[in-house]
Amino acid sequence: MANDASAVFDTLSPAVSNGSLADPFTPPADSSLWRKNFLLGAATASYQIEGAVNEDGRLPSIWDTFSATPGNVLAGDTGAVACDHYHRWEADVEMLASLGLEGYRLSIAWPRVMDAAGLPNRNGLDFYKRLLNRLKEKGITTSVTLYHWDLPQHLEDRGGWLNRDTAYRFADYADLMSRELAGTVDAWATLNEPWCSAYLGYGNGHHAPGLANDRFATQAMHHLLLAHGLAIPVLRANDPASQKGIVANIGRGTPNSDSAADQRAAHLFEVQHNAWILDPLLKGAYPQDLFELWPGTEPLVLDGDMQTISAPLDFLGINYYFRTNVASDGAHGFRDVPLEGVERTQMGWEVYPDGLRDLLTGFKRTYHNLPPIYITENGMASDDKVIDGHVDDTQRISFLKRHLAAVDQAIKAGVDIRGYFLWSLMDNFEWAFGYERRFGVVHIDYSTQKRTVKRSAELVAKFLKERKARV
Ligand code: FCB
């Protein structure tokens, strides 16, 4: 089932494979990461890597429109070419397999596979069939996200996620995909990070479609969660053997002082980032504190919606990146108070692995029906350069090691965590930040599309090889 170990070895530079390079990555002997059934993989998303936006009948998405509008994306970058993965997918799968990565999380571009009338686009569908079949041949576990933000523009033109009908169109899309791709998908995730779609897309306008209104954000969130809830039974009916879940980004908020007001601010931060999504999914209700933060923004909820949204999940995908230190804003909200002297990444995000452990153990206490968890994204951006054919991404190696240690601590504290997908397999189009921010464990030279395996990927591969060789 797993990849050929010799292929893994081939990708390692001599200094790594002969052991002459110090190994700052491999987890300690007592780490749960050594368990062979702990899945270790990498993640990507369609718009961030595929390119080929006008090929084989793909329709425009909201990110094509948004990124083509000057001022929305750093340096005017768009996903038109990205990593050219649509044409280079075979080599990319080889690379994934040669690194020994056991799981691959990808997303499907909705505008590539369905036309405006809801009919299948065979050429687009065939791309994903070929890709998923090849991954299965390589023994790689496949985790497929249906919606990683690239809404067909024709649906946005009819209101996008502000229109309840979009949730039903999403269920139709989930139906088509799960009928066509059943048997090649190990895990289906309905949505990636509804918080970003709703809040960054409709609440503050930093992401497509670029609208900015708190009331829009809560209504868009409700329709996104409804879309998720409508899709789950459809996926179950069409592809019973696979796992079904959703992916949420979570944020740690810590109080700037011991004052009651700052403690309350940190609580509200986490309500807005976490409970807004997890409470409806796992408790069947929105957290009332959210409407203290944003008075008068209650979404329109129809009878039965909350039951639909809170249908049981097989897994919960968790994306974690950083923490935010907050203080009271003097009214009913919070404001960021960036800490001085802390380690940060190229994004300016604080490196704070304890936040991942603390949130996971907190969720276990709060949600009695917490499903098994996969960390579906975790990683960092750095200004990586290829020097003499190598990329020495020291900070990333340490980042990954420390976050995997936090995952181990959460497992030891009783949280059921089954796997970890690092973000990302390769440098890619980082949304509003374009190509400047490099999150990959593989470097991309965008002028030649050359892929260079970074040191972090080599060390992950070395660990996976050692783990595989264990009896
Ligand atoms: C997450 C997104 C992912 C990537 C990382 C850095 O919010 O899901 O596509 O951009 O952030």
Side-chain angles (χ1 to χ4, degrees), residues 131-349:
L131 173 62
L132 288 161
N133 281 323
R134 183 68 59 83
L135 288 162
K136 293 316 295 171
E137 277 163 36
K138 296 279 178 190
I140 294 171
T141 297
T142 53
S143 175
V144 174
T145 300
L146 285 165
Y147 184 68
H148 201 126
W149 308 352
D150 37 6
L151 187 73
Q153 181 63 43
H154 63 87
L155 291 180
E156 183 58 38
D157 295 342
R158 287 190 273 142
W161 291 109
L162 297 177
N163 183 349
R164 187 179 169 94
D165 186 59
T166 301
Y168 296 93
R169 300 288 72 78
F170 179 80
D172 293 344
Y173 161 55
D175 179 39
L176 176 67
M177 288 306 104
S178 51
R179 276 189 282 114
E180 294 283 341
L181 302 175
T184 61
V185 176
D186 294 299
W188 290 99
T190 51
L191 309 177
N192 177 68
E193 301 189 352
W195 185 91
C196 292
S197 301
Y199 186 65
L200 302 180
Y202 294 84
N204 73 9
H206 291 181
H207 279 185
L211 303 179
N213 179 312
D214 292 341
R215 174 74 182 79
F216 287 178
T218 60
Q219 192 64 60
M221 176 66 87
H222 185 66
H223 292 152
L224 281 152
L225 294 175
L226 181 65
H228 155 81
L230 292 169
I232 289 285
V234 171
L235 297 170
R236 285 201 192 288
N238 291 344
D239 191 7
S242 62
Q243 302 281 298
K244 287 96 195 161
I246 183 169
V247 171
N249 55 307
I250 58 168
R252 182 65 168 153
T254 50
N256 192 46
S257 79
D258 291 340
S259 75
D262 286 358
Q263 305 270 346
R264 177 76 185 155
H267 166 75
L268 288 175
F269 176 93
E270 291 196 359
V271 165
Q272 202 255 48
H273 283 76
N274 309 328
W276 184 15
I277 298 93
L278 298 181
D279 277 16
L281 290 169
L282 301 175
K283 291 183 172 172
Y286 287 103
Q288 283 312 304
D289 289 356
L290 184 70
F291 308 112
E292 181 181 319
L293 189 64
W294 290 330
T297 64
E298 286 83 348
L300 180 64
V301 175
L302 301 191
D303 275 357
D305 284 1
M306 299 316 289
Q307 285 91 314
T308 303
I309 289 171
S310 55
L313 301 171
D314 301 330
F315 72 93
L316 175 65
I318 289 290
N319 297 353
Y320 173 78
Y321 287 95
F322 60 96
R323 74 134 154 205
T324 309
N325 188 60
V326 297
S328 165
D329 68 355
H332 35 232
F334 55 82
R335 64 186 169 87
D336 293 10
V337 185
L339 293 171
E340 303 280 333
V342 295
E343 181 186 346
R344 294 187 182 275
T345 70
Q346 192 192 15
M347 295 295 284
W349 296 347

Side-chain angles (χ1 to χ4, degrees), residues 104-141:
Y104 182 49
R105 173 173 178 247
L106 64 115
S107 79
I108 293 175
W110 186 352
R112 210 183 268 296
V113 292
M114 256 182 146
D115 72 12
L119 297 171
N121 173 23
R122 287 284 151 206
N123 289 334
L125 260 168
D126 284 350
F127 168 71
Y128 296 106
K129 283 190 180 173
R130 288 192 296 269
L131 173 62
L132 288 161
N133 281 323
R134 183 68 59 83
L135 288 162
K136 293 316 295 171
E137 277 163 36
K138 296 279 178 190
I140 294 171
T141 297

